């Protein structure tokens, strides 16, 4: 069976719930024939509205983060059961902004991945090197660590619901996407990493998304690469027109 691509938008800290309602209403007719699965990760405050607006459509709503504990004294945090209760389907974990700005480490991200999978949310685990790390030829080492520590104690069965996003930090929000060649080489490396930890069937069916300055004019070339199974889009996912173009070109 052919793998269906995942085209995921990440709104980050943008848009109110009112904006979300309008955006989803406007984009539904433009993406309803998409061959790919359409994901949108919205801010916590827009989740309920977005889930309602996307009901009975091909748009899947997710969150951008969560805490690993079930509940308790964690002021300002959100749990996976709170997300599940809103009918949220997926969650982005370990995004580079969480790692770098909010100092989340691999162990914390791993606990979140475990919790999300146990509670029936599909995690998108983000991994990727900084510019300095790439220049020092540390890319593979960084990916090894972020991947192996991120998926610790996850079974083959659970891994069937896991998606990986390769997001080189130097390409995020910079307008400078990785070339399709760099992206494909790195995705091939990540596929080998997955095979190291999970069985072949899981490794081949697991989606590896590319993220970092994806736009309507570079998505086609990226998506033609064998090991790129979709994209994670930040800036260009904020406008109906550009996100719909990305979805339809992929
Ligand atoms: P960008 O962000 O498309 O704006 O580079 C991607 C991301 O952070 O997921």
């Amino acid at each position: 069976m052919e793998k269906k691509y995942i085209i995921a938008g990440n709104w980050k800290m943008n848009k109110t719930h009112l904006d979300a309602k309008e955006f989803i209403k406007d984009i539904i007719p433009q993406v309803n024939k998409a061959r790919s699965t359409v994901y949108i990760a919205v801010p916590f405050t827009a989740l309920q509205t977005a889930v309602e607006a996307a009901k009975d459509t091909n748009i899947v709503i997710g969150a951008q983060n969560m805490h690993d504990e079930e509940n308790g004294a964690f002021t300002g945090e959100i749990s996976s059961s709170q997300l599940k209760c809103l009918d949220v389907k997926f969650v982005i974990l370990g995004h580079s902004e969480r790692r770098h700005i909010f100092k989340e480490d691999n162990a914390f991200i791993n606990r979140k991945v475990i919790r999300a999978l146990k509670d029936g949310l599909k995690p998108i685990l983000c991994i990727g090197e900084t510019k300095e790390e790439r220049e020092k030829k540390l890319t593979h080492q960084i990916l090894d660590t972020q991947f192996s520590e991120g998926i610790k104690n996850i079974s083959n069965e659970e891994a069937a619901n896991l998606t990986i996003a390769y997001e080189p930090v130097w390409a995020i929000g910079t307008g400078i996407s990785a070339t399709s060649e760099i992206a494909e080489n790195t995705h091939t490396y990540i596929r080998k990493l997955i095979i190291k930890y999970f069985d072949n069937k899981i490794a081949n069916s697991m989606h590896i998304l590319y993220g970092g300055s994806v736009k309507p004019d570079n998505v086609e070339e990226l998506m033609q690469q064998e090991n790129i199974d979709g994209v994670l889009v930040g800036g260009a996912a904020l406008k109906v027109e550009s996100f719909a173009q990305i979805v339809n070109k992929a």
Side-chain angles (χ1 to χ4, degrees):
M1 205 176 70
E2 251 200 28
K3 208 191 279 179
K4 206 170 171 185
Y5 296 146
I6 295 175
I7 308 301
N10 172 13
W11 285 355
K12 310 191 178 182
M13 198 174 70
N14 294 292
K15 297 192 190 294
T16 65
H17 72 289
L18 300 174
D19 301 330
K21 191 173 177 179
E22 199 164 305
F23 182 101
I24 292 167
K25 178 172 75 61
D26 291 345
I27 205 166
I28 289 170
Q30 298 193 41
V31 299
N32 62 3
K33 295 202 172 59
R35 283 171 301 155
S36 310
T37 308
V38 183
Y39 277 19
I40 306 180
V42 307
F44 291 132
T45 51
L47 280 170
Q48 187 167 12
T49 306
V51 167
E52 277 166 22
K55 200 167 179 243
D56 300 324
T57 74
N58 61 334
I59 299 169
V60 182
I61 302 298
Q64 302 169 13
N65 185 29
M66 56 172 248
H67 197 268
D68 68 303
E69 292 285 343
E70 236 176 313
N71 50 47
F74 300 99
T75 301
E77 291 295 323
I78 302 280
S79 73
S80 61
S81 58
Q82 290 168 330
L83 297 176
K84 274 295 281 183
C85 194
L86 287 175
D87 213 16
V88 165
K89 303 291 185 204
F90 74 94
V91 59
I92 298 175
L93 296 175
H95 188 279
S96 78
E97 286 146 21
R98 300 298 319 172
R99 292 177 188 269
H100 294 109
I101 305 172
F102 300 100
K103 310 290 174 220
E104 291 190 7
D105 63 15
N106 287 314
F108 187 32
I109 294 163
N110 173 241
R111 293 198 300 275
K112 297 184 193 211
V113 173
I114 292 172
R115 171 71 61 192
L117 288 168
K118 285 223 172 357
D119 288 351
L121 278 172
K122 293 184 176 191
I124 300 181
L125 171 63
C126 302
I127 57 177
E129 80 288 1
T130 62
K131 185 165 179 270
E132 202 186 355
E133 288 159 351
R134 178 160 282 269
E135 282 165 0
K136 288 187 179 154
K137 308 217 176 314
L138 294 173
T139 300
H140 288 180
Q141 195 180 315
I142 296 293
L143 296 176
D144 278 6
T145 308
Q146 291 182 345
F147 181 80
S148 63
E149 294 188 13
I151 54 102
K152 229 178 223 167
N153 297 322
I154 289 166
S155 67
N156 260 303
E157 218 171 51
E158 290 169 323
N161 286 315
L162 176 66
T163 294
I164 301 298
Y166 169 57
E167 297 210 306
V169 181
W170 46 271
I172 297 178
T174 57
I176 307 161
S177 162
T179 61
S180 53
E181 195 188 347
I182 290 181
E184 173 61 10
N185 284 342
T186 315
H187 280 226
T188 307
Y189 182 77
I190 295 170
R191 185 82 64 201
K192 284 189 196 139
L193 266 183
I194 304 172
I195 292 174
K196 210 164 120 187
Y197 293 92
F198 299 109
D199 70 28
N200 273 341
K201 193 166 155 254
I202 296 291
N204 290 322
S205 61
M206 193 178 292
H207 285 81
I208 310 176
L209 314 184
Y210 167 78
S213 298
V214 175
K215 295 180 277 285
D217 62 7
N218 62 14
V219 69
E220 275 167 297
E221 201 188 321
L222 286 162
M223 292 302 310
Q224 275 160 15
Q225 310 305 313
E226 195 182 331
N227 283 295
I228 300 184
D229 309 311
V231 285
L232 181 53
V233 189
L238 291 174
K239 289 214 163 71
V240 170
E241 198 190 9
S242 50
F243 191 54
Q245 271 183 42
I246 290 173
V247 168
N248 292 317
K249 281 184 170 192

